[in-house]
Amino acid sequence: MTDKGFPAIDLPDEAATLDFGRRLAVLARPPLCIHLVGDLGAGKTTLSRGLLRGLGHEGSVKSPTYTLVEPYSIGSLQVFHFDLYRLADPGELAYIGIEDYFAASALILVEWPDRGGAQLPNPDLSCYLAVCDEGRRLRLEPGSDKGVALCRQFPREGFSAA
Ligand code: ADP
Ligand code: MG
Protein backbone atom coordinates (compact mmCIF):
# COMPACT_ATOMS: atom_id res chain seq x y z
CA MET A 1 0.00 0.00 0.00
CA THR A 2 2.91 2.29 0.74
CA ASP A 3 3.80 2.17 -2.95
CA LYS A 4 0.27 3.29 -3.79
CA GLY A 5 0.57 6.68 -2.19
CA PHE A 6 0.94 6.23 1.54
CA PRO A 7 4.60 7.01 2.15
CA ALA A 8 6.33 6.36 5.43
CA ILE A 9 6.38 9.23 7.91
CA ASP A 10 9.40 10.23 9.98
CA LEU A 11 8.69 10.85 13.66
CA PRO A 12 11.97 12.35 14.95
CA ASP A 13 10.99 12.49 18.62
CA GLU A 14 8.27 11.58 21.11
CA ALA A 15 6.46 14.87 20.51
CA ALA A 16 6.10 13.94 16.82
CA THR A 17 4.49 10.59 17.74
CA LEU A 18 2.06 12.36 20.09
CA ASP A 19 1.32 14.93 17.41
CA PHE A 20 0.61 12.22 14.84
CA GLY A 21 -1.86 10.63 17.28
CA ARG A 22 -3.57 14.00 17.75
CA ARG A 23 -3.91 14.44 14.00
CA LEU A 24 -5.32 10.97 13.66
CA ALA A 25 -7.89 11.83 16.36
CA VAL A 26 -9.30 14.59 14.16
CA LEU A 27 -10.08 12.05 11.42
CA ALA A 28 -11.05 9.00 13.48
CA ARG A 29 -14.79 8.32 13.48
CA PRO A 30 -16.18 5.20 15.15
CA PRO A 31 -16.70 2.41 14.46
CA LEU A 32 -13.01 2.22 13.65
CA CYS A 33 -10.32 -0.31 14.46
CA ILE A 34 -6.63 0.63 14.38
CA HIS A 35 -3.81 -1.88 14.79
CA LEU A 36 -0.49 -0.68 16.18
CA VAL A 37 2.37 -2.91 15.10
CA GLY A 38 6.01 -2.74 16.15
CA ASP A 39 8.57 -4.01 18.64
CA LEU A 40 8.64 -3.12 22.33
CA GLY A 41 9.49 0.57 22.58
CA ALA A 42 8.44 1.38 19.00
CA GLY A 43 5.96 4.03 20.18
CA LYS A 44 2.60 2.22 20.04
CA THR A 45 1.41 3.42 23.44
CA THR A 46 2.76 6.91 22.78
CA LEU A 47 0.73 7.12 19.57
CA SER A 48 -2.34 5.88 21.46
CA ARG A 49 -1.73 8.54 24.13
CA GLY A 50 -1.61 11.29 21.50
CA LEU A 51 -4.80 9.98 19.92
CA LEU A 52 -6.67 9.80 23.24
CA ARG A 53 -5.52 13.30 24.17
CA GLY A 54 -6.58 14.53 20.75
CA LEU A 55 -10.02 13.07 21.40
CA GLY A 56 -10.21 15.08 24.62
CA HIS A 57 -9.06 12.58 27.24
CA GLU A 58 -7.28 14.53 29.96
CA GLY A 59 -6.22 11.79 32.37
CA SER A 60 -3.32 9.43 32.12
CA VAL A 61 -3.01 6.77 29.44
CA LYS A 62 -1.57 3.60 30.88
CA SER A 63 -0.23 0.73 28.91
CA PRO A 64 -2.86 -2.02 29.28
CA THR A 65 -0.20 -4.73 29.20
CA TYR A 66 -1.48 -6.49 32.31
CA THR A 67 -5.18 -5.75 31.97
CA LEU A 68 -5.37 -6.54 28.21
CA VAL A 69 -7.81 -3.69 27.69
CA GLU A 70 -8.32 -0.18 29.05
CA PRO A 71 -11.70 1.44 28.37
CA TYR A 72 -12.20 5.19 27.98
CA SER A 73 -15.41 7.21 27.78
CA ILE A 74 -14.86 10.61 26.21
CA GLY A 75 -18.21 12.36 25.95
CA SER A 76 -20.35 9.94 23.95
CA LEU A 77 -17.29 8.28 22.42
CA GLN A 78 -16.11 4.90 23.63
CA VAL A 79 -12.49 3.90 23.14
CA PHE A 80 -11.03 0.49 23.93
CA HIS A 81 -7.25 0.30 24.05
CA PHE A 82 -5.97 -3.27 23.86
CA ASP A 83 -2.44 -4.53 24.45
CA LEU A 84 -2.23 -8.23 23.61
CA TYR A 85 1.48 -8.63 24.39
CA ARG A 86 0.81 -10.96 27.31
CA LEU A 87 -2.01 -12.88 25.72
CA ALA A 88 -1.09 -16.53 26.19
CA ASP A 89 -3.64 -17.88 23.74
CA PRO A 90 -5.92 -16.12 21.22
CA GLY A 91 -8.78 -18.14 22.73
CA GLU A 92 -8.60 -15.85 25.79
CA LEU A 93 -10.14 -13.12 23.65
CA ALA A 94 -13.37 -15.08 23.32
CA TYR A 95 -13.30 -15.50 27.08
CA ILE A 96 -13.13 -11.73 27.72
CA GLY A 97 -15.98 -11.20 25.23
CA ILE A 98 -14.01 -9.61 22.40
CA GLU A 99 -17.12 -9.66 20.19
CA ASP A 100 -18.92 -7.28 22.53
CA TYR A 101 -16.12 -4.74 22.25
CA PHE A 102 -16.32 -4.87 18.49
CA ALA A 103 -20.13 -4.77 18.46
CA ALA A 104 -20.06 -1.41 20.26
CA SER A 105 -19.69 1.55 17.93
CA ALA A 106 -16.31 2.29 19.39
CA LEU A 107 -12.82 3.33 18.46
CA ILE A 108 -10.59 0.32 19.01
CA LEU A 109 -6.81 0.44 19.31
CA VAL A 110 -4.88 -2.81 19.40
CA GLU A 111 -1.19 -3.12 20.30
CA TRP A 112 0.36 -6.51 19.37
CA PRO A 113 -2.60 -7.53 17.18
CA ASP A 114 -0.65 -10.55 15.85
CA ARG A 115 -1.12 -12.24 19.22
CA GLY A 116 -4.88 -12.14 18.77
CA GLY A 117 -4.77 -14.38 15.72
CA ALA A 118 -8.00 -15.06 13.89
CA GLN A 119 -10.08 -13.95 16.89
CA LEU A 120 -9.49 -10.33 15.91
CA PRO A 121 -11.54 -8.70 13.15
CA ASN A 122 -9.55 -7.04 10.37
CA PRO A 123 -8.48 -3.47 11.11
CA ASP A 124 -9.49 -0.39 9.15
CA LEU A 125 -5.95 0.89 9.52
CA SER A 126 -2.61 -0.56 10.58
CA CYS A 127 0.17 1.69 11.89
CA TYR A 128 3.57 0.05 11.58
CA LEU A 129 6.15 1.69 13.85
CA ALA A 130 9.88 1.05 13.82
CA VAL A 131 12.90 2.56 15.54
CA CYS A 132 14.87 4.68 13.08
CA ASP A 133 18.05 6.36 14.33
CA GLU A 134 17.00 8.39 17.41
CA GLY A 135 13.36 8.56 16.30
CA ARG A 136 10.71 6.36 14.76
CA ARG A 137 9.36 5.65 11.29
CA LEU A 138 5.67 5.11 10.70
CA ARG A 139 4.01 3.35 7.80
CA LEU A 140 0.23 3.43 7.34
CA GLU A 141 -1.61 0.55 5.75
CA PRO A 142 -5.37 0.78 5.23
CA GLY A 143 -7.33 -2.44 5.68
CA SER A 144 -10.76 -1.25 4.53
CA ASP A 145 -12.38 1.40 2.34
CA LYS A 146 -12.78 3.48 5.48
CA GLY A 147 -9.07 3.14 6.14
CA VAL A 148 -8.21 4.17 2.58
CA ALA A 149 -10.42 7.25 2.91
CA LEU A 150 -8.78 8.08 6.22
CA CYS A 151 -5.27 7.77 4.80
CA ARG A 152 -6.20 9.96 1.83
CA GLN A 153 -7.50 12.67 4.14
CA PHE A 154 -4.49 12.51 6.36
CA PRO A 155 -2.66 15.81 6.21
CA ARG A 156 0.97 15.35 5.32
CA GLU A 157 2.05 18.93 6.03
CA GLY A 158 4.61 19.03 8.76
CA PHE A 159 5.72 15.46 8.09
CA SER A 160 8.69 14.54 5.98
CA ALA A 161 7.97 11.55 3.80
CA ALA A 162 10.72 9.01 4.31
P1 ADP B 1 5.51 0.66 22.78
O1 ADP B 1 4.11 0.88 23.26
O2 ADP B 1 5.56 0.45 21.30
O3 ADP B 1 6.24 -0.43 23.52
P2 ADP B 1 6.04 3.28 23.90
O4 ADP B 1 4.98 4.10 23.25
O5 ADP B 1 5.85 2.86 25.30
O6 ADP B 1 6.36 1.99 23.01
O7 ADP B 1 7.38 4.12 23.74
C1 ADP B 1 8.62 3.69 24.19
C2 ADP B 1 9.53 4.87 24.30
O8 ADP B 1 9.75 5.47 23.03
C3 ADP B 1 8.99 5.96 25.21
O9 ADP B 1 10.02 6.37 26.08
C4 ADP B 1 8.62 7.08 24.24
O10 ADP B 1 8.79 8.33 24.82
C5 ADP B 1 9.61 6.87 23.14
N1 ADP B 1 9.18 7.41 21.83
C6 ADP B 1 7.94 7.38 21.29
N2 ADP B 1 7.95 7.94 20.06
C7 ADP B 1 9.23 8.34 19.82
C8 ADP B 1 9.88 8.96 18.70
N3 ADP B 1 9.22 9.30 17.60
N4 ADP B 1 11.21 9.21 18.80
C9 ADP B 1 11.90 8.86 19.92
N5 ADP B 1 11.35 8.26 21.00
C10 ADP B 1 10.02 8.00 20.95
MG1 MG C 1 2.90 -0.31 24.55
Side-chain angles (χ1 to χ4, degrees), residues 44-45 63 83 111:
K44 303 179 293 297
T45 301
S63 181
D83 183 341
E111 298 188 35

Coordinates of all heavy atoms in Angstrom, one line a residue, residues 44-45 63 83 111, ligand 2:
K44 N 4.0 2.5 20.2 CA 2.6 2.2 20.0 C 1.7 2.9 21.1 O 0.7 3.5 20.8 CB 2.4 0.7 20.1 CG 3.2 -0.1 19.0 CD 3.0 -1.6 19.1 CE 3.5 -2.2 20.4 NZ 5.0 -2.1 20.5
T45 N 2.2 2.8 22.4 CA 1.4 3.4 23.4 C 1.5 4.9 23.3 O 0.5 5.6 23.6 CB 1.9 2.9 24.8 OG1 1.8 1.5 24.9 CG2 1.1 3.5 26.0
S63 N -0.4 1.9 29.8 CA -0.2 0.7 28.9 C -1.0 -0.4 29.5 O -0.8 -0.9 30.6 CB 1.2 0.3 28.8 OG 1.4 -0.7 27.9
D83 N -3.9 -4.2 24.6 CA -2.4 -4.5 24.5 C -2.4 -6.0 24.7 O -2.6 -6.5 25.8 CB -1.6 -3.8 25.5 CG -0.1 -4.1 25.3 OD1 0.2 -5.2 24.6 OD2 0.7 -3.4 25.8
E111 N -2.6 -2.9 20.4 CA -1.2 -3.1 20.3 C -1.0 -4.6 20.3 O -1.7 -5.4 20.9 CB -0.5 -2.5 21.5 CG -0.7 -1.0 21.6 CD 0.2 -0.4 22.7 OE1 1.3 -0.9 23.0 OE2 -0.3 0.6 23.3
Ligands
MG2 MG 2.9 -0.3 24.5

